[in-house]
Amino acid sequence: MRDEGRAALADRLVLVAGPLRGPDAHVDDAAALDTLRAPAPNAPAARVHRPALPELLDRARTGTPEKIRRGLGRLVEEHTPTPGSEPDPALRAVIAELLRHPRAGVRLHAHRVSRALFDRDAHARSTAVLLSDPLPEVVRMAVRTLGRLAWEPALPELISLLGHPKPPVRSAAREAVTGFGAAAVPALRRAAAHARPDRRSRYTDLLARLAESDAST
């Protein structure tokens, strides 16, 4: 360029190190643009949608069993009442509804959630709902839970289960009622007084057992 008398133009050129661009450089350009457009590896994740309580309650009430399970899990994670506060009435209503769901798995999951969300009395009331469950194994679980909680309002229903058609339920009811000790005596006496003669022994036998236990103590 200088030999051709174009020194001014030659002076404006900036020389840099590196290879010259070849005829297929546009391929590299496209790859570089794709890299720039892709999220950086350490880019913050998108904000996770946190459903409000009404939305979660609606999922738990109307979803499939799997969606109900996930909805109940989110309720426990995000809406557990603080100690001393009362759960939302709508939450209580949904749990009460699910305790009567056609699927046993849903009923049992709702019962477990009630233990996490409610205080002792509210959980015991939820458990008492399952004393009339159609599955004997669910009834037996509810009987044992109420026995461990020593929740006296359940005594009349527990005593009525002494005549349940399934032996495991009857056995669980006997153990639960016996665990109440002297608190069970008035209800057992009332049941014995109103029982048919051929069924009275199921109550009188427990009364005798409690009397023996009291005497030995």
Side-chain angles (χ1 to χ4, degrees), residues 11 15 26 34 42 48 56 68 78 84 94 101 106 108-112 144 150 170 172 176 186 203 208 213:
D11 290 340
L15 302 180
H26 66 283
D34 288 341
N42 58 351
V48 178
L56 285 176
I68 291 173
E78 302 173 18
V94 167
H101 192 276
V106 173
L108 291 172
H109 198 83
H111 177 255
R112 289 192 294 272
R144 289 177 171 175
R170 294 199 301 270
Y203 312 112
S213 176

Side-chain angles (χ1 to χ4, degrees), residues 31-180:
L33 287 173
D34 288 341
T35 302
L36 290 171
R37 291 179 181 132
N42 58 351
R47 185 188 179 102
V48 178
H49 173 59
R50 294 174 64 87
L53 180 60
E55 183 180 346
L56 285 176
L57 292 177
D58 185 63
R59 289 183 190 180
R61 180 185 289 110
T62 62
T64 63
E66 178 58 23
K67 288 183 178 179
I68 291 173
R69 186 189 65 78
R70 291 200 299 267
L72 290 175
R74 292 289 292 274
L75 285 171
V76 173
E77 292 172 3
E78 302 173 18
H79 295 282
T80 299
T82 57
S85 65
E86 289 292 323
D88 189 289
L91 175 58
R92 290 182 182 271
V94 167
I95 295 298
E97 184 177 332
L98 293 178
L99 288 169
R100 296 176 172 85
H101 192 276
R103 297 287 291 271
V106 173
R107 299 196 298 273
L108 291 172
H109 198 83
H111 177 255
R112 289 192 294 272
V113 167
S114 77
R115 181 174 58 188
L117 295 178
F118 300 158
D119 60 21
R120 173 184 174 276
D121 282 352
H123 174 55
R125 285 193 293 273
S126 297
T127 304
V129 172
L130 298 178
L131 291 177
S132 57
D133 195 270
L135 295 180
E137 55 269 29
V138 175
V139 177
R140 183 175 61 172
M141 179 278 298
V143 168
R144 289 177 171 175
T145 300
L146 291 167
R148 287 193 298 270
L149 292 173
W151 197 61
E152 292 189 15
L155 265 172
E157 286 186 83
L158 292 174
I159 290 172
S160 71
L161 290 173
L162 295 171
H164 194 277
K166 296 296 183 180
V169 176
R170 294 199 301 270
S171 177
R174 282 194 298 271
E175 293 304 315
V177 172
T178 302
F180 282 87

